[in-house]
Amino acid sequence: MQKNQFQSVTADIRLAELIAALSLATDLGMGQPLEYAQYVCVLSVRLGEALGLNESELREVYYLALLRHIGCNADTYRMANLFGDELALRTHVASVDSGRASQMIGLVIRSIQQANEGKSALNLARMIAQGLLTGPHLMKEEYTGFCEVAQRLARRLGFGEDITLALEQVFERWDGQGVPGKLKGDGIALSMRIVTLSQDVITFHRLEGVEAAVTMARERKGTMYDPQMVDCFCLKASHLLMGLEEEPSWEVVLELEPGMRTHLSDEQFDTACRAIADFADIKSPYTLGHSVGVAELATQAARHCGLPEADGVELMRAGLLHDVGRVGVSAGIWGKPGPLSEREWERVRMHPYYTERVLARPGMLARLGALAALHHERLNGSGYYRGLPASLLSPAARILAAADVYHAMIEPRPHRPALEPAIAAEQLQREVRAGRLDSEAVNGVLAAAGHKVRTSRRELVAGLSEREIEVLRLIARGHTIKQIAQILTLSEKTIDNHIQHIYNKIGVSTRAGATLFAMEHDLLIDMN
Ligand SMILES: [Fe+2]
């Protein structure tokens, strides 16, 4: 398939805004409340200031706090195989001391018990034994994979060596007992030492308040954390944590960015969207390459359907970002070979909502998020997460849905192998007949995927699409733009765009000229 041929549309987004939004996705992936990383970012910068860091050091701390968990989707399916719900496990890991064997063993046992409720005592005992035997090795491997993925993604997002080197040290500890355990003491990057302490402080502060955070920091002083840093934090804890419970962290985080405020070019934004697509897809071995595939298919389909150029660009970006919310659902559910339980299905239905929530700000991302969140909606209202009717699904949303279905079909899933493209095409047409997918969108997607699409005689006239012919027929019959928009359940702006395209294609500039063209080419014959 060809790459995006649409011209660029100005991105208009700050790097800090994009990374702050991405940090919401990593909060979900770590089983933490939304805005967790943003609070960690605020505290880290405040602590950095208290320690006397200069502007460029503070900038490193700022971005590292937001990016720290960007590798969170690596190897999660293996964790889920062993422990069940890896997100639940991570929620609890945040509050234990990884250096204390008794705390870690207790956590592993609890997680396996929760994930295997209803199994016989013997089976459970076997699983716990296996978990304790293989768990430490697997966790070590997972932590290393986490860091490698984080480093690669950070590079693709345009970050330099300072950040990427620090991302190798996410699980290192002051006493050298971390993972991979290559570094200790001030051999660990200053920025990472600050962020590690800050994130645990935020967890304890949220759960039990300032005193609990100070006690925890003192207990782990010299083992997990830099002793000097702990002293500095404990001395000024109330001041450093002031307002962190109630302030809207988005505005605070953006205001706090040290140094120059970088805006992304179109090209940088598109590159970042591709990195985010891969971040989302690595959650499951079944979805590798899914988001990029959907984006490219949808973009080409938009061209086949005659959508305005700007819609094609939005579709490319929304396609790349559409499944970022998958991070908020356990890899155990994405990898389950059998039917999902009601509770599991409920969680799956949440993933387009998570996508929309992650991309809720700034306005430029919100627009893409609103489109991306529609990728599981269906024309007959049977989709999710909102169950919207056809009248609220734009042509772009219909194309995205069709592209997502088609691409998912040609990928393997835990309960079936990948379908042959011809079979997938047939199933897509079945979805049209069932009233779930839009006919023109499906034709566009199939044409973009290289299938021969049955075209009517009229579609060949002047390169007009089915939709454009529908609009042309209504223009010829004297309908106003408002009436056409109501009949076709599209916005007036979209109809206006269609009319401009039609006039350009058939070389007229008036309604009368268009009417005569339609008559000359017998386009009114099937008019109802
Ligand atoms: Fe999805």
Side-chain angles (χ1 to χ4, degrees), residues 383-512:
Y384 59 90
Y385 71 95
R386 287 203 176 101
L388 294 175
S391 57
L392 294 178
L393 299 174
S394 65
R398 295 171 187 214
I399 288 173
L400 184 61
D404 179 56
V405 172
Y406 178 84
H407 217 280
M409 282 181 186
I410 60 168
E411 298 161 18
R413 287 293 178 267
H415 57 285
R416 58 154 175 83
L419 301 187
E420 289 296 325
I423 308 282
E426 262 176 49
Q427 291 215 13
L428 221 57
Q429 294 291 11
R430 221 170 286 152
E431 289 297 295
V432 173
R433 289 195 290 279
R436 288 188 282 269
L437 291 179
D438 178 80
S439 161
E440 194 176 346
V442 163
N443 281 343
V445 165
L446 293 181
H451 294 276
K452 277 214 170 86
V453 178
R454 257 181 285 145
T455 52
S456 68
R457 173 179 55 86
R458 285 196 300 258
E459 278 180 280
L460 301 175
V461 176
L464 295 175
S465 68
E466 257 182 55
R467 172 77 74 209
E468 287 169 340
I469 287 172
E470 252 179 305
V471 173
L472 177 56
R473 290 155 81 193
L474 293 165
I475 297 167
R477 290 286 171 179
H479 292 284
T480 63
I481 290 180
K482 192 172 179 181
Q483 287 167 333
I484 300 173
Q486 279 167 354
I487 292 167
L488 298 180
T489 62
L490 293 170
S491 71
E492 290 180 37
K493 190 168 181 287
T494 305
I495 298 299
D496 203 35
N497 279 335
H498 274 312
I499 293 173
Q500 293 310 319
H501 272 88
I502 294 165
Y503 282 13
N504 284 342
K505 282 182 180 176
I506 65 179
V508 303
S509 58
T510 64
R511 183 188 288 262

Side-chain angles (χ1 to χ4, degrees), residues 290 322-323 326 351-352 375-376 384 404:
H290 172 76
H322 78 284
D323 262 345
R326 291 175 70 100
H351 84 269
H375 72 277
H376 287 292
Y384 59 90
D404 179 56

Side-chain angles (χ1 to χ4, degrees), residues 65 137 139 246 264 277 306 343 407 473 515:
H137 175 70
M139 281 176 98
E246 68 259 9
L264 296 179
R343 202 188 305 166
H407 217 280
R473 290 155 81 193
T515 305

Side-chain angles (χ1 to χ4, degrees), residues 32-57:
Q32 295 303 314
L34 286 171
E35 295 170 349
Y36 169 68
Q38 294 179 14
Y39 284 116
V40 174
C41 176
V42 173
L43 177 60
S44 297
V45 172
R46 287 181 185 174
L47 185 55
E49 283 168 347
L51 289 162
L53 267 61
N54 65 33
E55 189 178 78
S56 86
E57 288 169 328

Side-chain angles (χ1 to χ4, degrees), residues 269 273 313-314 317-318 321 359 363-373:
F269 179 64
C273 286
V313 177
E314 299 260 307
R317 292 170 174 171
L321 302 174
L359 304 173
M364 193 254 175
L365 280 188
R367 222 173 44 244
L368 295 176
L371 173 57

